[in-house]
């Protein structure tokens, strides 16, 4: 019997290695598509990606592979831990895609690729109508995937959540977001009435792109990004991709009048890239690296962006760098002015440029709309008005055009259910920040520029177990406590009451 198990392991591993080659190639082309690919070549390039991912998909559809993988799942108690985790993951994927034929999978890929092309075009022209048909098709893809899946969840939207955030339900999210609304809305009103006026106008003064690029590199070095095992580039929407072992890539976007947007993108994407660069080698061997969730990933990126990047201690070091790189802007400023300015609370339209305090509202709006799109079959053409109404309801502002409204994010071109992971990331990160703080003074480490100490703690406590535990178990494993939004809300209340004296 032992030999049968060995045979199954051999089939599974050799298939996954082959599959990884196709996926590796498609990730590389995908990175190219979002960075340097000429616009007219995108559609064709997308077809190549669809072909490669379809080849990968087909490999997992072979009866030999399925029976070997299901055999491993049935006998998982006889396997070692990483093999057992792999068997469980393959079984989840199997139930998810059991009824999706390779023709249908290819059709999905082509629709999603076309949606990306249409979104980019529509965003450039600030015209939602150029994307509406594609968005309808994206919804069809998601609903079809749900219909064909053999996993079952409370609502269709719960189903999509599982793809990104295993074990988190709409019930969890409703609870978290209600708590956010209850505590943050009154505080936002107090902040807006506060006599304390913070000026951030100097942050939009002209900052040359070449100097921004040099600073971006320095910041990546400072947080511990390893340039021998990663690279950075530019794209319309900053992102990070763990392309393969020893190859983590991130992008930023330079705007001469949005210096801080580049800096915080670098810290955010740099956080994602650090996570990718510090995956346990064993997880590559056992094909587990794709098991971590987006919320786990976002917790890390937002930890580097906000808990480190927007801390008083980091701002004071950043200020010294900025004085050297952009003396015309910073020579007559102070570190404290920079700290206040990067923590200015001001309701705004663009999520990725939102301040840390109002950010959660951008997610709540998208979450509420995603539930309407997926569960309630809302009309796609009504989304424009719903979007604007929700911005008015929560932040008291309305977009003037579709680019600064519904077209700002790329995510819906690939489906629904992603956005809540950003807010969950903030909540996980706040919980493990508090745990880290019990072990050493985190702010002191930032002040000492000792990010190695922080990275080491992250490696041991946060990164090492992420592929192996679903988020709720993972956060309990790190902190010894059940998942809660309270740490995040406590942190926001304390920090922003102090800044605004309210
Ligand atoms: Zn991110």
């Amino acid at each position: 019997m032992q030999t049968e198990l060995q045979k199954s392991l051999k089939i599974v591993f050799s298939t996954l290695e082959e599959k990884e080659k196709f996926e590796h190639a498609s990730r590389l082309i995908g990175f190219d598509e979002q960075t340097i690919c000429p616009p007219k070549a995108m559609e064709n390039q997308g077809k190549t990606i669809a072909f490669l991912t379809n080849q990968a998909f087909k490999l997992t559809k072979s009866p030999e592979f399925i029976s070997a993988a299901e055999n491993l799942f049935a006998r998982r108690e006889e396997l070692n831990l990483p093999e057992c985790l792999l068997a469980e993951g393959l079984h989840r994927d199997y139930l998810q895609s059991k009824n999706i034929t390779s023709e249908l999978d290819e059709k999905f890929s082509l629709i999603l690729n076309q949606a990306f092309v249409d979104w980019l075009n529509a965003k450039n022209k600030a015209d939602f109508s150029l994307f509406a048909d594609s968005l309808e098709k994206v919804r069809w893809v998601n609903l079809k995937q749900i219909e064909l899946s053999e996993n079952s969840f409370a609502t269709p939207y719960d189903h999509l959540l599982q793809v990104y955030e295993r074990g988190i339900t709409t019930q969890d999210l409703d609870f978290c977001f209600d708590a956010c609304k209850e505590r943050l809305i009154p505080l936002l009103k107090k902040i807006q009435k506060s006599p304390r006026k913070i000026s951030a106008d100097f942050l939009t003064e002209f900052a040359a792109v070449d100097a921004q690029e040099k600073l971006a590199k320095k910041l990546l070095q400072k947080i511990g990004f390893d340039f021998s095992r990663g690279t950075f580039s530019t794209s319309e929407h900053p992102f990070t991709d763990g392309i393969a072992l020893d190859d983590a890539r991130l992008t930023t976007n330079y705007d001469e009048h949005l210096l801080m947007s580049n800096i915080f993108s670098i810290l955010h994407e740099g956080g994602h890239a650090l996570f990718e660069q510090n995956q346990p080698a064993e997880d590559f061997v056992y094909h587990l690296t794709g098991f971590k969730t987006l919320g786990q990933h976002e917790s890390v990126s937002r930890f580097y962006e906000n808990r480190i990047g927007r801390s008083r201690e980091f701002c004071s070091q950043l200020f010294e760098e900025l004085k050297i790189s952009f003396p015309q802007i910073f020579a007559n400023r102070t570190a404290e002015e920079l700290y206040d300015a990067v923590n200015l609370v001001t309701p705004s339209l663009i999520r990725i440029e939102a301040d840390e305090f109002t950010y959660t509202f951008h997610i709540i709006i998208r979450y509420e709309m995603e539930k309407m799109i997926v569960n309630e079959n809302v009309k796609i053409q009504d989304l424009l008005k719903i979007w604007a109404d929700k911005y008015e309801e929560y932040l008291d502002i309305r977009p003037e055009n579709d680019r600064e409204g519904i077209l700002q994010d790329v995510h819906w071109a690939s489906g629904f259910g992603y956005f809540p992971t950003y807010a969950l990331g903030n909540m996980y990160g706040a919980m493990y920040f508090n745990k880290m703080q019990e072990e050493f003074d985190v702010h002191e480490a930032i002040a000492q520029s000792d990010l190695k100490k922080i990275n080491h703690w992250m490696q041991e406590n946060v990164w090492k177990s992420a592929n192996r535990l679903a988020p709720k178990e993972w956060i309990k494993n790190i902190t010894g406590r059940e998942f809660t939004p309270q740490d995040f809300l406590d942190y926001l209340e304390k920090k922003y009451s102090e800044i605004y004296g309210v």
Side-chain angles (χ1 to χ4, degrees), residues 238 240 268-269 272 297-298 301-302 418 422:
T240 306
H268 179 98
E269 301 305 333
H272 281 306
H297 234 300
E298 281 304 316
S301 57
R302 305 187 68 74
Y418 189 129
Y422 292 113

Side-chain angles (χ1 to χ4, degrees), residues 146-165:
I146 295 167
E147 179 195 319
L148 293 173
S149 167
E150 297 208 352
N151 288 315
S152 68
F153 298 102
T155 70
Y157 189 68
D158 276 283
H159 207 115
L160 298 178
L161 279 178
Q162 297 315 302
V163 176
Y164 298 114
E165 206 61 18

Side-chain angles (χ1 to χ4, degrees), residues 87-122:
E88 286 170 354
L90 291 174
H91 182 65
R92 279 195 304 271
D93 291 348
Y94 172 64
L95 294 182
Q96 185 71 17
S97 63
K98 189 178 174 189
N99 302 319
I100 298 175
T101 61
S102 93
E103 292 75 24
L104 194 56
D105 179 66
E106 192 168 16
K107 188 173 177 181
F108 290 165
S109 298
L110 288 170
I111 288 173
L112 300 185
N113 189 69
Q114 188 59 45
F116 173 73
V117 175
D118 290 345
W119 165 76
L120 199 58
N121 179 40

